[in-house]
Coordinates of all heavy atoms in Angstrom, one line a residue:
M1336 N -29.7 17.4 7.3 CA -30.1 17.0 8.6 C -31.7 16.9 8.6 O -32.4 16.8 7.7 CB -29.6 18.0 9.7 CG -28.0 18.1 9.6 SD -27.1 16.6 10.0 CE -27.2 16.7 11.7
S1337 N -32.3 17.4 9.8 CA -33.7 17.3 9.9 C -34.3 18.4 9.1 O -33.7 19.5 9.0 CB -34.2 17.2 11.4 OG -34.1 18.4 11.8
T1338 N -35.6 18.2 8.8 CA -36.2 19.2 8.0 C -37.3 19.9 8.8 O -37.9 19.2 9.6 CB -36.9 18.6 6.7 OG1 -37.8 17.6 7.2 CG2 -35.9 18.2 5.8
G1339 N -37.5 21.2 8.6 CA -38.6 21.7 9.3 C -38.5 22.0 10.8 O -37.4 21.5 11.4
T1340 N -39.5 22.5 11.5 CA -39.4 22.6 12.9 C -39.9 21.4 13.6 O -40.4 20.4 13.0 CB -40.4 23.7 13.5 OG1 -41.7 23.3 13.1 CG2 -40.0 25.1 12.7
G1341 N -39.7 21.2 14.8 CA -40.1 20.0 15.7 C -41.6 19.8 15.6 O -42.1 18.7 15.4
A1342 N -42.3 20.9 15.4 CA -43.8 20.8 15.5 C -44.3 20.1 14.3 O -45.4 19.5 14.2 CB -44.4 22.2 15.7
A1343 N -43.6 20.4 13.3 CA -44.0 19.9 11.9 C -43.5 18.5 11.6 O -43.8 17.9 10.5 CB -43.7 20.8 10.7
A1344 N -42.7 18.0 12.6 CA -42.2 16.6 12.2 C -43.1 15.5 12.0 O -44.0 15.5 12.8 CB -41.2 16.3 13.4
F1345 N -42.9 14.7 11.2 CA -43.6 13.5 10.9 C -43.1 12.4 11.8 O -41.9 12.3 11.9 CB -43.6 13.0 9.4 CG -44.5 13.9 8.5 CD1 -44.2 15.2 7.9 CD2 -45.9 13.5 8.3 CE1 -44.9 15.8 7.2 CE2 -46.7 14.3 7.5 CZ -46.3 15.4 7.0
R1346 N -43.9 11.6 12.3 CA -43.5 10.5 13.1 C -44.3 9.3 12.7 O -45.6 9.4 12.4 CB -43.4 10.7 14.5 CG -44.7 10.6 15.4 CD -45.6 11.7 15.5 NE -45.0 13.1 15.7 CZ -44.8 13.5 17.0 NH1 -45.2 12.7 18.1 NH2 -44.3 14.6 17.2
R1347 N -43.7 8.1 12.8 CA -44.4 6.8 12.5 C -45.5 6.6 13.5 O -45.0 6.6 14.7 CB -43.5 5.7 12.4 CG -44.2 4.4 12.0 CD -43.1 3.2 12.2 NE -43.7 1.9 11.7 CZ -44.6 1.2 12.5 NH1 -45.0 1.6 13.7 NH2 -45.0 0.1 12.0
V1348 N -46.7 6.3 13.1 CA -47.7 6.0 14.0 C -48.3 4.6 14.0 O -48.8 4.2 15.0 CB -49.0 7.1 14.0 CG1 -48.5 8.5 14.4 CG2 -49.6 7.0 12.7
C1349 N -48.1 4.0 13.0 CA -48.7 2.6 12.8 C -48.2 2.1 11.5 O -47.6 2.8 10.7 CB -50.1 2.6 12.9 SG -51.1 3.4 11.5
A1350 N -48.4 0.7 11.2 CA -48.2 0.2 10.0 C -49.3 0.4 9.1 O -50.5 0.4 9.5 CB -47.9 -1.3 10.1
L1351 N -49.2 0.5 7.7 CA -50.3 0.7 6.8 C -51.3 -0.5 6.9 O -52.5 -0.3 6.9 CB -49.8 0.9 5.4 CG -50.7 1.2 4.3 CD1 -51.5 2.5 4.6 CD2 -50.0 1.2 2.9
A1352 N -50.7 -1.6 7.2 CA -51.4 -2.9 7.2 C -52.4 -2.9 8.4 O -53.4 -3.6 8.5 CB -50.5 -4.1 7.3
D1353 N -52.1 -2.0 9.5 CA -52.9 -2.0 10.6 C -54.3 -1.2 10.4 O -55.1 -1.2 11.3 CB -52.2 -1.3 11.8 CG -51.0 -2.1 12.3 OD1 -51.0 -3.3 12.2 OD2 -50.1 -1.5 13.0
V1354 N -54.2 -0.4 9.3 CA -55.5 0.4 9.0 C -56.3 -0.3 8.1 O -56.0 -0.6 7.0 CB -55.1 1.8 8.5 CG1 -56.3 2.7 8.3 CG2 -53.9 2.4 9.2
P1355 N -57.6 -0.8 8.5 CA -58.4 -1.5 7.6 C -58.9 -0.7 6.4 O -59.1 0.5 6.5 CB -59.5 -1.8 8.6 CG -59.4 -1.0 9.8 CD -58.1 -0.5 9.9
D1356 N -59.1 -1.5 5.4 CA -59.8 -0.8 4.2 C -61.1 -0.4 4.6 O -61.9 -1.1 5.2 CB -59.9 -1.9 3.1 CG -59.2 -1.5 1.9 OD1 -58.7 -0.4 1.8 OD2 -59.3 -2.3 0.9
E1357 N -61.5 0.9 4.1 CA -62.8 1.5 4.6 C -63.0 1.3 6.2 O -64.0 0.9 6.6 CB -63.8 0.9 3.9 CG -63.9 1.2 2.4 CD -63.7 2.6 2.0 OE1 -64.5 3.4 2.6 OE2 -62.9 2.9 1.1
G1358 N -61.9 1.7 6.9 CA -62.1 1.5 8.3 C -61.1 2.5 8.8 O -60.4 3.2 8.3
A1359 N -61.0 2.4 10.4 CA -60.2 3.4 11.1 C -59.4 2.7 12.2 O -59.9 1.7 12.7 CB -61.2 4.5 11.6
L1360 N -58.4 3.4 12.6 CA -57.6 3.0 13.7 C -57.5 4.1 14.6 O -56.9 5.1 14.2 CB -56.2 2.4 13.3 CG -55.2 1.9 14.3 CD1 -55.8 0.7 15.0 CD2 -53.8 1.7 13.7
G1361 N -57.9 4.0 15.8 CA -57.8 5.0 17.0 C -56.4 4.9 17.7 O -56.0 3.8 18.0
L1362 N -55.6 6.0 17.7 CA -54.3 6.0 18.4 C -54.1 7.2 19.2 O -54.9 8.2 19.0 CB -53.2 6.1 17.2 CG -53.1 5.1 16.2 CD1 -52.3 5.7 15.1 CD2 -52.5 3.8 16.8
E1363 N -53.2 7.2 20.1 CA -52.7 8.4 20.8 C -51.4 8.7 20.4 O -50.5 7.9 20.4 CB -52.8 8.1 22.3 CG -54.2 8.1 22.8 CD -54.5 8.9 24.1 OE1 -53.5 9.3 24.7 OE2 -55.6 9.2 24.4
V1364 N -51.2 10.1 20.0 CA -49.9 10.5 19.5 C -49.5 11.7 20.4 O -50.2 12.7 20.3 CB -49.9 10.8 18.0 CG1 -48.4 11.2 17.6 CG2 -50.3 9.6 17.1
D1365 N -48.5 11.4 21.2 CA -48.2 12.5 22.3 C -49.5 13.0 23.0 O -49.8 14.2 23.1 CB -47.6 13.8 21.6 CG -46.1 13.5 21.2 OD1 -45.7 12.4 21.5 OD2 -45.5 14.4 20.5
D1366 N -50.3 12.0 23.4 CA -51.6 12.4 24.2 C -52.5 13.0 23.4 O -53.6 13.5 23.9 CB -51.3 13.3 25.5 CG -50.3 12.6 26.4 OD1 -50.4 11.3 26.6 OD2 -49.5 13.2 27.1
T1367 N -52.4 13.1 22.0 CA -53.5 13.6 21.2 C -54.2 12.4 20.5 O -53.5 11.7 19.8 CB -52.9 14.5 20.1 OG1 -52.1 15.6 20.7 CG2 -53.9 15.0 19.1
P1368 N -55.5 12.3 20.6 CA -56.2 11.2 20.0 C -56.5 11.4 18.5 O -56.8 12.4 18.1 CB -57.6 11.2 20.6 CG -57.6 12.3 21.5 CD -56.3 13.0 21.5
I1369 N -55.9 10.4 17.8 CA -55.9 10.5 16.3 C -56.5 9.4 15.7 O -56.3 8.2 16.2 CB -54.4 10.5 15.7 CG1 -53.6 11.7 16.4 CG2 -54.4 10.6 14.2 CD1 -53.7 12.9 15.7
A1370 N -57.3 9.5 14.7 CA -57.9 8.5 14.0 C -57.2 8.4 12.6 O -57.2 9.4 11.8 CB -59.4 8.6 13.8
V1371 N -56.6 7.2 12.4 CA -56.1 7.1 11.1 C -57.0 6.3 10.2 O -57.4 5.2 10.7 CB -54.7 6.3 11.1 CG1 -54.0 6.1 9.8 CG2 -53.7 7.0 12.0
V1372 N -57.4 6.8 9.1 CA -58.6 6.4 8.4 C -58.2 6.0 7.0 O -57.5 6.8 6.3 CB -59.7 7.3 8.4 CG1 -61.0 6.7 7.9 CG2 -60.1 7.9 9.8
R1373 N -58.7 4.9 6.4 CA -58.3 4.5 5.1 C -59.8 4.4 4.3 O -60.7 3.8 4.8 CB -57.7 3.2 4.9 CG -57.2 3.0 3.4 CD -56.6 1.6 3.2 NE -56.0 0.9 4.2 CZ -54.8 0.1 3.8 NH1 -54.3 0.2 2.7 NH2 -54.2 -0.6 4.7
S1374 N -59.9 5.2 3.2 CA -61.1 5.1 2.5 C -60.8 5.4 1.0 O -59.9 6.3 0.7 CB -62.1 6.2 2.9 OG -63.2 6.2 2.1
E1375 N -61.1 4.6 0.1 CA -61.1 4.6 -1.3 C -59.5 4.7 -1.6 O -59.1 5.5 -2.6 CB -61.9 5.8 -1.8 CG -63.3 5.5 -1.7 CD -64.1 6.7 -2.3 OE1 -63.6 7.9 -2.2 OE2 -65.2 6.4 -2.9
G1376 N -58.7 4.0 -0.9 CA -57.2 4.0 -1.2 C -56.3 5.1 -0.6 O -55.2 5.2 -0.8
Q1377 N -57.2 6.0 0.0 CA -56.5 7.1 0.6 C -56.3 7.0 2.1 O -57.2 6.3 2.7 CB -57.2 8.4 0.3 CG -57.1 9.1 -1.0 CD -55.8 9.8 -1.1 OE1 -54.9 9.9 -0.3 NE2 -55.6 10.4 -2.3
V1378 N -55.2 7.5 2.7 CA -55.1 7.5 4.1 C -55.2 8.8 4.6 O -54.5 9.7 4.2 CB -53.8 6.8 4.5 CG1 -53.6 6.7 6.0 CG2 -53.8 5.3 4.1
Y1379 N -56.1 9.0 5.7 CA -56.2 10.2 6.3 C -55.9 10.3 7.8 O -56.0 9.1 8.4 CB -57.7 10.8 6.2 CG -58.2 10.7 4.9 CD1 -58.7 9.7 4.2 CD2 -58.2 12.0 4.0 CE1 -59.3 9.6 3.0 CE2 -58.7 12.0 2.7 CZ -59.2 10.9 2.1 OH -59.6 10.9 0.9
A1380 N -55.6 11.4 8.4 CA -55.5 11.4 10.0 C -56.3 12.6 10.4 O -56.2 13.7 9.8 CB -54.1 11.7 10.3
I1381 N -57.3 12.3 11.3 CA -58.2 13.3 11.8 C -58.1 13.2 13.4 O -57.7 12.2 13.9 CB -59.7 13.3 11.3 CG1 -60.2 12.0 11.6 CG2 -59.6 13.4 9.7 CD1 -61.7 11.9 11.4
S1382 N -58.7 14.2 14.0 CA -58.9 14.1 15.5 C -59.8 13.0 15.8 O -60.8 12.8 15.0 CB -59.4 15.5 15.9 OG -59.9 15.2 17.4
D1383 N -59.5 12.2 16.8 CA -60.4 11.1 17.1 C -61.4 11.5 18.1 O -61.8 10.7 19.0 CB -59.6 9.9 17.5 CG -60.3 8.6 17.6 OD1 -61.4 8.6 16.9 OD2 -59.9 7.7 18.1
V1384 N -61.8 12.7 18.1 CA -62.8 13.3 19.1 C -63.8 13.9 18.3 O -63.5 14.9 17.6 CB -62.1 14.1 20.1 CG1 -63.3 14.6 21.1 CG2 -61.1 13.5 20.9
C1385 N -65.1 13.5 18.3 CA -66.1 14.2 17.5 C -66.3 15.6 18.1 O -66.1 15.8 19.2 CB -67.4 13.4 17.8 SG -68.8 14.1 16.8
S1386 N -66.6 16.5 17.1 CA -66.8 18.0 17.6 C -68.1 18.1 18.3 O -68.3 19.3 18.8 CB -66.6 18.9 16.5 OG -67.6 18.6 15.5
H1387 N -69.0 17.2 18.3 CA -70.3 17.4 18.9 C -70.3 17.0 20.4 O -70.6 17.7 21.3 CB -71.4 16.6 18.1 CG -72.7 16.6 18.7 ND1 -73.4 15.6 19.0 CD2 -73.4 17.8 18.9 CE1 -74.7 16.1 19.5 NE2 -74.7 17.4 19.4
A1388 N -69.9 15.8 20.6 CA -69.7 15.2 22.1 C -68.4 14.4 22.0 O -68.0 14.0 21.0 CB -70.8 14.5 22.5
E1389 N -67.8 14.3 23.1 CA -66.4 13.8 23.0 C -66.4 12.3 23.0 O -66.1 11.6 23.9 CB -65.6 14.3 24.2 CG -65.6 15.8 24.1 CD -64.4 16.4 25.0 OE1 -63.8 15.6 25.8 OE2 -64.3 17.5 25.0
V1390 N -66.7 11.7 21.9 CA -66.7 10.3 21.6 C -65.6 10.0 20.5 O -65.3 11.0 19.7 CB -68.0 9.7 21.3 CG1 -69.0 9.8 22.5 CG2 -68.5 10.2 19.9
A1391 N -65.2 8.8 20.4 CA -64.1 8.4 19.4 C -64.8 8.3 18.0 O -65.7 7.3 17.9 CB -63.4 7.2 19.8
L1392 N -64.3 9.0 17.0 CA -64.7 8.8 15.6 C -64.3 7.6 15.0 O -64.9 7.0 14.1 CB -64.3 10.1 14.8 CG -65.0 11.3 15.1 CD1 -64.5 12.5 14.3 CD2 -66.6 11.3 14.8
S1393 N -63.1 7.0 15.6 CA -62.5 5.9 15.0 C -63.4 4.6 15.1 O -63.3 3.6 14.4 CB -61.2 5.6 15.5 OG -61.3 5.3 17.0
E1394 N -64.5 4.8 16.0 CA -65.4 3.7 16.1 C -66.6 3.7 15.1 O -67.6 3.0 15.2 CB -65.9 3.6 17.6 CG -64.8 3.1 18.4 CD -65.1 3.3 20.0 OE1 -66.3 3.3 20.4 OE2 -64.2 3.5 20.8
G1395 N -66.6 4.8 14.3 CA -67.7 5.0 13.4 C -67.5 4.3 12.0 O -66.4 3.8 11.7
D1396 N -68.4 4.3 11.2 CA -68.4 3.7 9.7 C -67.7 4.6 8.9 O -67.9 5.9 8.8 CB -69.8 3.4 9.3 CG -70.3 2.2 10.0 OD1 -69.6 1.4 10.6 OD2 -71.6 2.1 10.0
V1397 N -66.9 4.1 8.1 CA -66.1 4.8 7.0 C -66.7 4.5 5.6 O -66.9 3.3 5.3 CB -64.6 4.4 7.1 CG1 -63.9 5.1 5.9 CG2 -64.0 4.8 8.4
E1398 N -67.0 5.5 4.7 CA -67.5 5.2 3.5 C -67.2 6.5 2.6 O -67.5 7.6 3.0 CB -69.0 5.0 3.7 CG -69.7 4.4 2.3 CD -71.1 4.1 2.5 OE1 -71.9 5.0 2.3 OE2 -71.4 3.1 3.0
D1399 N -66.9 6.3 1.3 CA -66.7 7.3 0.4 C -66.1 8.5 0.9 O -66.6 9.7 0.7 CB -68.2 7.7 -0.1 CG -68.8 6.5 -0.8 OD1 -68.2 5.6 -1.2 OD2 -70.1 6.6 -1.0
G1400 N -64.9 8.4 1.6 CA -64.1 9.6 2.1 C -64.8 10.3 3.2 O -64.4 11.4 3.4
T1401 N -65.6 9.6 3.9 CA -66.2 10.2 5.2 C -66.2 9.1 6.2 O -66.1 8.0 6.0 CB -67.7 10.6 5.0 OG1 -68.5 9.4 4.9 CG2 -67.9 11.5 3.8
I1402 N -66.4 9.7 7.5 CA -66.5 8.8 8.7 C -67.8 9.3 9.5 O -68.1 10.5 9.5 CB -65.3 8.8 9.5 CG1 -65.4 7.7 10.6 CG2 -64.9 10.2 10.2 CD1 -63.9 7.3 11.3
E1403 N -68.5 8.3 9.8 CA -69.8 8.7 10.5 C -69.7 8.5 12.0 O -69.3 7.4 12.6 CB -70.9 7.8 9.9 CG -72.2 8.1 10.7 CD -73.4 7.1 10.0 OE1 -73.0 6.2 9.4 OE2 -74.5 7.4 10.4
C1404 N -70.0 9.5 12.8 CA -69.9 9.3 14.2 C -71.0 8.4 14.6 O -72.2 8.5 14.2 CB -70.2 10.7 14.9 SG -70.3 10.6 16.7
W1405 N -70.6 7.3 15.5 CA -71.5 6.3 15.9 C -72.6 6.7 16.8 O -73.6 6.2 17.0 CB -70.7 5.2 16.4 CG -70.0 5.6 17.6 CD1 -68.6 6.0 17.7 CD2 -70.5 5.6 19.0 NE1 -68.3 6.4 19.0 CE2 -69.3 6.1 19.8 CE3 -71.5 5.2 19.6 CZ2 -69.4 6.2 21.2 CZ3 -71.6 5.4 21.1 CH2 -70.6 5.9 21.7
L1406 N -72.4 7.9 17.5 CA -73.3 8.3 18.5 C -74.6 9.0 18.0 O -75.7 8.5 18.3 CB -72.6 9.2 19.6 CG -73.5 9.4 20.8 CD1 -73.9 8.1 21.5 CD2 -72.6 10.1 21.8
H1407 N -74.4 10.1 17.2 CA -75.6 10.7 16.6 C -75.6 10.8 15.2 O -76.5 11.5 14.5 CB -75.6 12.2 17.2 CG -75.6 12.3 18.7 ND1 -74.6 12.8 19.4 CD2 -76.5 11.7 19.7 CE1 -74.8 12.7 20.7 NE2 -76.0 12.0 20.9
G1408 N -74.6 10.2 14.5 CA -74.7 10.2 13.1 C -74.2 11.3 12.1 O -74.4 11.3 10.9
S1409 N -73.5 12.2 12.8 CA -72.8 13.2 11.9 C -71.8 12.5 11.1 O -71.0 11.8 11.6 CB -72.3 14.4 12.7 OG -73.2 15.3 13.0
C1410 N -71.7 12.9 9.8 CA -70.5 12.4 9.0 C -69.6 13.5 8.7 O -70.0 14.8 8.6 CB -71.0 12.0 7.5 SG -72.1 10.5 7.6
F1411 N -68.4 13.2 8.8 CA -67.3 14.2 8.6 C -66.5 13.8 7.3 O -66.2 12.6 7.1 CB -66.3 14.2 9.8 CG -66.9 14.7 11.0 CD1 -67.7 13.7 11.9 CD2 -66.7 16.0 11.4 CE1 -68.2 14.2 13.0 CE2 -67.4 16.4 12.6 CZ -68.1 15.6 13.4
D1412 N -66.1 14.9 6.6 CA -65.3 14.8 5.4 C -63.9 14.5 5.9 O -63.3 15.4 6.6 CB -65.5 16.0 4.5 CG -64.5 15.9 3.2 OD1 -65.1 15.4 2.2 OD2 -63.4 16.3 3.3
L1413 N -63.2 13.4 5.4 CA -62.0 13.0 5.9 C -60.8 13.9 5.5 O -59.9 14.2 6.2 CB -61.6 11.6 5.5 CG -62.5 10.5 6.2 CD1 -62.3 9.2 5.5 CD2 -62.0 10.4 7.6
A1414 N -61.1 14.6 4.3 CA -60.0 15.6 3.8 C -60.0 16.9 4.5 O -59.0 17.4 4.8 CB -60.2 15.7 2.3
S1415 N -61.2 17.3 4.7 CA -61.4 18.7 5.3 C -61.8 18.7 6.8 O -61.5 19.7 7.5 CB -62.4 19.5 4.6 OG -63.7 19.0 4.9
G1416 N -62.2 17.6 7.2 CA -62.7 17.5 8.7 C -64.1 18.1 9.0 O -64.5 18.1 10.0
K1417 N -64.8 18.7 7.9 CA -65.9 19.4 8.1 C -67.1 18.4 8.2 O -67.1 17.4 7.5 CB -66.2 20.3 6.9 CG -65.2 21.4 6.7 CD -65.6 22.5 5.8 CE -64.6 23.6 5.7 NZ -64.3 24.0 4.5
P1418 N -68.1 18.8 9.0 CA -69.2 17.9 9.2 C -70.1 18.1 7.9 O -70.3 19.3 7.4 CB -69.9 18.4 10.4 CG -69.4 19.9 10.5 CD -68.1 19.9 9.9
I1419 N -70.7 17.1 7.4 CA -71.6 17.0 6.3 C -73.1 17.1 6.8 O -73.8 17.7 5.9 CB -71.3 15.7 5.5 CG1 -69.9 15.8 4.9 CG2 -72.4 15.6 4.4 CD1 -69.4 14.4 4.4
N1420 N -73.4 16.7 7.8 CA -74.8 16.7 8.4 C -74.8 16.9 9.9 O -73.7 16.6 10.5 CB -75.6 15.4 8.0 CG -74.9 14.3 8.5 OD1 -73.8 13.8 8.0 ND2 -75.6 13.6 9.5
P1421 N -75.9 17.5 10.4 CA -76.1 17.6 11.9 C -76.1 16.5 12.6 O -76.3 15.4 12.0 CB -77.3 18.6 12.0 CG -78.0 18.4 10.7 CD -77.0 17.9 9.6
P1422 N -75.9 16.5 13.9 CA -75.9 17.6 14.8 C -74.5 18.3 14.9 O -74.5 19.4 15.4 CB -76.3 17.2 16.2 CG -75.9 15.6 16.1 CD -76.1 15.2 14.7
A1423 N -73.5 17.8 14.4 CA -72.2 18.4 14.7 C -72.2 19.6 13.6 O -72.6 19.5 12.5 CB -71.0 17.5 14.3
T1424 N -71.6 20.8 14.1 CA -71.5 22.0 13.2 C -70.1 22.4 13.1 O -69.8 23.1 12.2 CB -72.3 23.1 13.8 OG1 -71.8 23.3 15.1 CG2 -73.9 22.8 13.8
R1425 N -69.1 21.9 13.9 CA -67.8 22.3 13.9 C -66.9 21.3 13.2 O -67.1 20.1 13.6 CB -67.4 22.7 15.3 CG -67.9 24.0 15.9 CD -67.5 24.2 17.2 NE -68.0 23.2 18.2 CZ -67.3 22.4 19.0 NH1 -66.0 22.7 19.1 NH2 -67.9 21.6 19.8
P1426 N -65.9 21.7 12.5 CA -64.9 20.6 11.9 C -64.2 20.0 12.9 O -64.0 20.5 14.1 CB -64.1 21.4 10.9 CG -64.3 22.9 11.4 CD -65.5 23.0 12.1
V1427 N -63.6 18.9 12.7 CA -62.6 18.2 13.5 C -61.3 18.5 12.8 O -61.0 18.7 11.5 CB -62.7 16.8 13.7 CG1 -64.0 16.4 14.5 CG2 -62.8 15.9 12.3
A1428 N -60.1 18.5 13.6 CA -58.8 18.9 13.1 C -58.4 17.6 12.1 O -58.7 16.6 12.3 CB -57.8 18.9 14.1
T1429 N -57.7 18.0 11.0 CA -57.1 17.0 10.2 C -55.6 17.3 10.3 O -55.1 18.3 10.5 CB -57.6 17.2 8.7 OG1 -57.1 18.4 8.2 CG2 -59.0 17.2 8.7
Y1430 N -54.9 16.2 10.0 CA -53.4 16.2 10.1 C -52.8 15.7 8.9 O -53.3 14.8 8.2 CB -52.9 15.3 11.3 CG -53.4 15.9 12.7 CD1 -54.7 15.3 13.1 CD2 -52.8 16.7 13.4 CE1 -55.2 15.7 14.3 CE2 -53.4 17.1 14.6 CZ -54.6 16.6 15.1 OH -55.1 17.1 16.3
P1431 N -51.5 16.3 8.5 CA -50.8 15.8 7.4 C -50.4 14.3 7.5 O -50.0 14.0 8.7 CB -49.6 16.6 7.3 CG -50.0 17.9 8.1 CD -50.9 17.4 9.2
V1432 N -50.6 13.5 6.5 CA -50.2 12.1 6.6 C -49.1 11.8 5.3 O -49.3 12.4 4.3 CB -51.4 11.1 6.2 CG1 -50.9 9.6 6.2 CG2 -52.5 11.4 7.3
K1433 N -48.1 11.0 5.7 CA -47.3 10.4 4.5 C -47.2 8.9 4.8 O -47.4 8.5 5.9 CB -45.9 11.0 4.7 CG -45.6 12.4 4.4 CD -44.2 12.7 4.6 CE -43.8 14.1 4.3 NZ -42.4 14.3 4.8
I1434 N -47.1 8.3 3.6 CA -47.0 6.9 3.6 C -45.6 6.6 3.1 O -45.1 7.2 2.1 CB -47.9 6.2 2.6 CG1 -49.3 6.5 2.9 CG2 -47.8 4.6 2.7 CD1 -49.9 6.2 4.3
D1435 N -44.8 5.9 3.9 CA -43.5 5.5 3.6 C -43.3 4.0 3.7 O -43.2 3.4 4.8 CB -42.5 6.1 4.6 CG -41.0 5.9 4.4 OD1 -40.7 5.5 3.2 OD2 -40.1 6.0 5.4
G1436 N -43.4 3.4 2.5 CA -43.3 1.9 2.5 C -44.6 1.3 3.1 O -45.8 1.7 2.7
D1437 N -44.4 0.6 4.3 CA -45.5 0.1 5.0 C -45.7 0.9 6.3 O -46.6 0.5 7.2 CB -45.4 -1.4 5.3 CG -46.7 -2.0 6.0 OD1 -47.8 -1.7 5.3 OD2 -46.6 -2.7 6.9
D1438 N -45.2 2.1 6.2 CA -45.4 2.9 7.6 C -46.3 4.0 7.3 O -46.2 4.8 6.2 CB -44.0 3.5 8.0 CG -43.1 2.3 8.6 OD1 -43.7 1.3 9.0 OD2 -42.0 2.4 8.5
V1439 N -47.1 4.4 8.2 CA -47.9 5.6 8.2 C -47.3 6.7 9.0 O -47.0 6.4 10.2 CB -49.4 5.4 8.7 CG1 -50.3 6.6 8.6 CG2 -50.1 4.2 7.8
L1440 N -47.0 7.9 8.5 CA -46.5 8.9 9.2 C -47.4 10.1 9.4 O -48.0 10.3 8.3 CB -45.1 9.4 8.6 CG -44.1 8.4 8.0 CD1 -43.0 9.1 7.5 CD2 -43.7 7.5 9.1
V1441 N -47.5 10.6 10.5 CA -48.4 11.7 10.8 C -47.7 12.9 11.4 O -46.8 12.6 12.3 CB -49.6 11.3 11.8 CG1 -50.4 12.5 12.1 CG2 -50.5 10.2 11.0
S1442 N -48.0 14.1 11.0 CA -47.5 15.3 11.6 C -48.7 15.9 12.6 O -49.7 15.9 12.1 CB -47.1 16.3 10.7 OG -46.9 17.5 11.3
L1443 N -48.3 16.3 13.8 CA -49.3 16.8 14.7 C -49.5 18.4 14.3 O -50.3 19.0 15.0 CB -48.9 16.7 16.1 CG -49.0 15.2 16.6 CD1 -48.8 15.2 18.1 CD2 -50.4 14.7 16.4
D1444 N -48.8 18.9 13.2 CA -49.0 20.3 12.8 C -50.4 20.3 12.1 O -50.4 19.8 10.9 CB -47.8 20.6 12.0 CG -47.6 22.0 12.0 OD1 -48.1 22.8 12.9 OD2 -46.7 22.4 11.1
K1445 N -51.4 20.7 12.8 CA -52.7 20.6 12.2 C -52.8 21.2 10.7 O -52.3 22.3 10.4 CB -53.8 21.1 12.9 CG -54.0 20.5 14.2 CD -55.0 21.4 15.0 CE -55.1 20.8 16.4 NZ -55.8 21.6 17.3
N1446 N -53.6 20.6 9.8 CA -54.1 21.1 8.5 C -55.0 22.3 8.8 O -55.1 23.3 8.1 CB -54.7 20.2 7.6 CG -53.7 19.3 6.9 OD1 -52.6 19.6 6.7 ND2 -54.1 18.0 6.8
S1447 N -55.8 22.1 9.8 CA -57.0 23.0 9.9 C -57.3 23.1 11.4 O -56.9 22.3 12.2 CB -58.3 22.4 9.3 OG -58.6 21.1 9.5
Ligands
FES2036 S1 -71.2 12.8 19.3 FE1 -70.7 12.7 17.2 S2 -72.6 13.5 16.4 FE2 -73.0 13.6 18.4

């Protein structure tokens, strides 16, 4: 039957083809803003709200496993959600991702 608790359930959020290479797709999953990001062949899901001011990270540039906030330039590590440079000092939430064929599945059960 089903595995795990409801909170840990993975659900399909988009097609893999919808996530640009070295780019991001901003989505809402159960009213939670999520950025699905592809960098260097890996797919990540992070909060789509910068921890510095509330703007969408999915509109920033993606490079080398990081995403750069378009407003003040903090870069966040996509795997850990940690900021690499100021002005942001707090990490953003990261979420578990699974790829199933051409589907991207995300769990809202935060990694961090
Ligand atoms: S709003 Fe993202 S770094 Fe300031």
